[in-house]
Amino acid sequence: MSDLSIPKPYVRPRRLRRTDAIRDMVRETMLTANDFIYPLFVTHEKNTKREITSMPGQFQLSVDNAVKEVQLAKDLGIPAVILFGIPAEKDNLGSDTYSDNGIIQQAVRAIKDSVDGISVITDVCFCEFTDHGHCGPIAKGTVDNDATLELLAKQVISHAKAGADMVAPSGMMDGMVAAIRAGLDSENYEDIPILSYAVKFASSFYGPFREAVDSAPQFGDRRSYQMDPANAREALREAELDVQEGADMLMVKPAMAFMDIIRQVKDTFDLPLAAYNVSGEYAMIKAAAKLGWIDEQRVMMETLTGLKRAGADMILTYFAKDAAKVLRG
Ligand code: PBG
C-alpha cells in the first residue's frame, strides 16, 4: 500500500456523511405532506369500498366513503385531492361529465359540504365516461379535437358550479386550456385555477388506472393525442402553449421515466410544477415489495424525494397517505 504512494485525499465528502445529525444538516431536498396531491376513485355505486386488484391499498369509493377518505387525507396534512369518476352510464359523449348529477359533481358537493381546508381538484377528461374509452367524442375514427373543446368547457363549468377548487384537464386536446379558461370566465369563475396536464405521454404505466376506472380504449390507443415518450423538445413546446393559454400550474406525467422532462420544464417555466407518480409506478413498487424484493417504505420515500429533487413542487401520488404517515414519524 505505502509503496504505491497513493495520495491521501485532502477533500473528503464523507466528512459530511459521518453522523445522522450532519446528514440531516446538509440534506438538500425535504419532502413534506404538503407536497402531495391524493388521487381518489369515486364510483356511482352505494356503500362501496372495493380494492383495485393491481393497486393494493387503493379503492373504488362510494361518495360517502370518499368523503371519509378526504377527511383522513386532510388530517394527515395533505393539501389536495384529485377526483376520478366511475359513472353509472357511459355514452359516446361522456355526458355524465357535464351533468349536474354526474358522479364527480355529487362527490365534489359532498366533500365540500363536510370537509374544510383541503382543496378538491377535478380531473377533466372523458375517457372514464365514454363507452368507447377515448378522451372525447369520436369522428372519422379518431377523437374530434374541436368538438371536445366545447364539451370540456361545459364540463369545467359544471365542476365549478359543484364547488371544485381547481380543474385539471388531462385529455391532451389542442387548445384545451384556452377553451377551459374561456368557459370558466364566461360563468364568472375567473378565480378557479387550471392545473394543466401539459406534458402527458402515451404511457404503458397507466395500465392499472385503466382497470381502476374501466377506461381502456375499445379500439386503437391514445397515441394520436398523448405524446411520444421519446420527445423532450415537444414537451417544452406543449408546456409553452399551455402557459400562453393561461394555465396556472403545469404537470408532467408519468413521473419516474420522465425525470429529465420534469427538470427541463422546471428550469424553463416559472409556474408551479406537478409530477404524476402514476398507477403503474405505484403497482411496480407494491408488487416487488409483496414479493419481498424491495423495502416498500424506503423505495416509496426515495422515489418521492427523487421526484421533488428533479423539480416537482407537487406530486400526485397514490402513496400520499402512506408517505404522510412516515413523515409524521
Ligand atoms: C385520463 C387519465 C389517465 C390517468 C389520469 N388521467 C389515464 C389515461 O390517459 O389513460 C392515469 C393515471 C394513472 O395511471 O395513475 N383521464
Side-chain angles (χ1 to χ4, degrees), residues 39 41 52-56 58 84 201-213 253-258 276-289 294 299-300 303 307 316-319:
F41 302 107
I52 299 154
T53 318
S54 51
M55 300 175 74
Q58 304 303 310
F84 297 93
F201 292 96
S203 170
S204 299
F205 285 97
Y206 306 148
F209 175 94
R210 292 178 188 172
E211 180 208 322
V213 296
K253 174 185 175 188
M256 289 168 68
F258 300 90
Y276 200 141
N277 176 220
V278 301
S279 57
E281 301 171 12
Y282 176 82
M284 288 194 305
I285 292 175
K286 284 284 179 183
I294 59 171
V299 171
M300 166 181 81
T303 300
L307 295 176
L316 290 86
T317 180
Y318 303 99
F319 286 118

Side-chain angles (χ1 to χ4, degrees), residues 13 33 39 41 43 85 98 103 110 128 130 134 167 181 191 201 205 207 217 223 249 255 260 288 304 321:
F41 302 107
T43 171
Y98 49 84
I103 182 59
E128 303 126 65
T130 50
H134 279 286
V167 294
R181 189 71 270 157
D191 292 336
F201 292 96
F205 285 97
R223 285 182 296 175
M249 308 208 275
D260 58 323
L304 297 171
K321 269 173 45 196

Side-chain angles (χ1 to χ4, degrees), residues 175-188:
M176 70 180 183
V177 172
I180 285 172
R181 189 71 270 157
L184 289 171
D185 292 3
S186 74
E187 298 286 327
N188 302 321

Side-chain angles (χ1 to χ4, degrees), residues 86-89 91 94-105 129:
I86 302 147
E89 304 280 346
D91 57 28
S95 58
D96 196 86
T97 56
Y98 49 84
S99 152
D100 285 339
N101 242 339
I103 182 59
I104 292 295
Q105 289 79 356
F129 302 89

